[in-house]
Amino acid sequence: MFPIRDHNPSERVPYVTLALIAINVIVFLSEMALVQTERQLAQYYFDYALIPARLAEGENYAALVTSVFLHGGFMHLAGNMLFLWIFGDNMEDEMGHVPFLIFYLACGVLASLAQFAAEPTSVIPMVGASGAIAGVMGGYLLLFPKARVDIFIFFIVFFRIFPIPAWIMLGLWFGLQLLNGVTADISGGGVAYWAHAGGFVIGLIGTLPLWLRLGGPQFWTRTEGHPPHPEATYGRSSIPTVQRSGSKRRGSPWQRR
């Protein structure tokens, strides 16, 4: 089950979301160009990735931020940027550009601290934007629980795209992070699940003041749980047609987040 798009494009250009995607891509390409050997990669991660054991010793606090912009491979980067694009634009639209940037960075830092609290003696470098993006997803769930999200389901020879409410998709995702966090503690693994789960909860809590300012349950009543923008319709083409009227709906050497 993999989300590929939502049905409510933002009304304003999401400059911060686009800038964050661009920065992550540039950092990844720079790493590919500059890091040529295993020794260089180890030093790169030592300098910029978050290593819990170093943080426990009071070293390299800057890695709480720099690690959020590192990725361990193309698919790691692509998956994170897709999630950021799907859920970030509407959050930025409601929060405003600068508040959204602060929110994103705060979620990333606090999500890293959640993983640190779970494994404070780990020497595995942590890289990835997933903790910050999980915060965006938690906020999205609070503001737009009934927004439609298209998910791609692939099972052996069967595949199809289904639109489902955001609360189902995001609720299942969060539940899997909790489950995998527990099993990873037992069996080991290369994913920082507690950063995902922690970031999600932090993002939801951090969005509460905005939700209350918008009216709380009354905001859901006004918007029917959707972003307050015209809903896009998708045909056989992947290019959305936006209806501007007639609707109110608006194992590994690093640990990835």
Side-chain angles (χ1 to χ4, degrees):
M1 186 179 70
F2 201 78
I4 59 173
R5 62 196 176 195
D6 68 353
H7 283 244
N8 293 84
S10 60
E11 291 187 321
R12 294 182 293 177
V13 178
Y15 292 110
V16 172
T17 300
L18 291 171
L20 288 169
I21 292 173
I23 292 170
N24 277 278
V25 171
I26 291 170
V27 170
F28 179 75
L29 294 177
S30 299
E31 176 189 339
M32 296 292 290
L34 297 174
V35 177
Q36 300 296 322
T37 67
E38 289 294 326
R39 183 172 182 175
Q40 289 176 331
L41 180 62
Q43 185 63 50
Y44 185 78
Y45 281 167
F46 184 81
D47 291 337
Y48 301 111
L50 179 65
I51 302 175
R54 289 195 68 194
L55 192 65
E57 295 294 327
E59 300 177 5
N60 203 13
Y61 290 111
L64 288 167
V65 175
T66 58
S67 64
V68 175
F69 294 93
L70 304 182
H71 289 85
F74 175 75
M75 292 306 296
H76 186 203
L77 172 70
N80 276 350
M81 295 305 100
L82 175 61
F83 273 67
L84 177 56
W85 174 248
I86 291 173
F87 300 107
D89 61 335
N90 285 312
M91 288 294 292
E92 182 178 347
D93 213 21
E94 290 299 324
M95 288 185 164
H97 303 304
V98 174
F100 175 72
L101 176 60
I102 296 171
F103 172 81
Y104 177 89
L105 294 175
C107 286
V109 170
L110 294 174
S112 296
L113 290 174
Q115 184 67 31
F116 167 76
E119 299 179 304
T121 61
S122 173
V123 296
I124 301 175
M126 290 168 50
V127 297
S130 300
I133 297 168
V136 174
M137 293 162 63
Y140 192 99
L141 175 63
L142 178 62
L143 294 182
F144 318 119
K146 294 184 180 179
R148 291 203 298 167
V149 178
D150 283 350
I151 60 169
F152 178 81
I153 295 180
F154 175 78
F155 182 73
I156 307 178
V157 296
F158 170 82
F159 61 90
R160 189 171 178 181
I161 295 174
F162 292 96
I164 64 173
W167 69 268
I168 295 179
M169 181 260 149
L170 294 174
L172 286 173
W173 183 89
F174 177 67
L176 285 172
Q177 306 318 302
L178 292 177
L179 176 63
N180 288 329
V182 173
T183 57
D185 288 343
I186 298 173
S187 62
V191 180
Y193 291 113
W194 293 117
H196 295 177
F200 191 92
V201 173
I202 290 161
L204 193 152
I205 294 172
T207 308
L208 268 173
L210 172 62
W211 180 68
L212 293 172
R213 194 160 60 246
L214 291 170
Q218 289 73 31
F219 175 70
W220 286 340
T221 300
R222 292 196 309 272
T223 64
E224 300 179 7
H226 294 254
H229 318 301
E231 187 173 277
T233 56
Y234 297 91
R236 294 185 178 180
S237 169
S238 61
I239 301 174
T241 301
V242 178
Q243 299 175 348
R244 295 296 178 187
S245 62
S247 175
K248 294 182 179 179
R249 285 187 178 176
R250 307 282 237 164
S252 80
W254 46 267
Q255 191 170 44
R256 69 182 186 269
R257 297 193 296 257

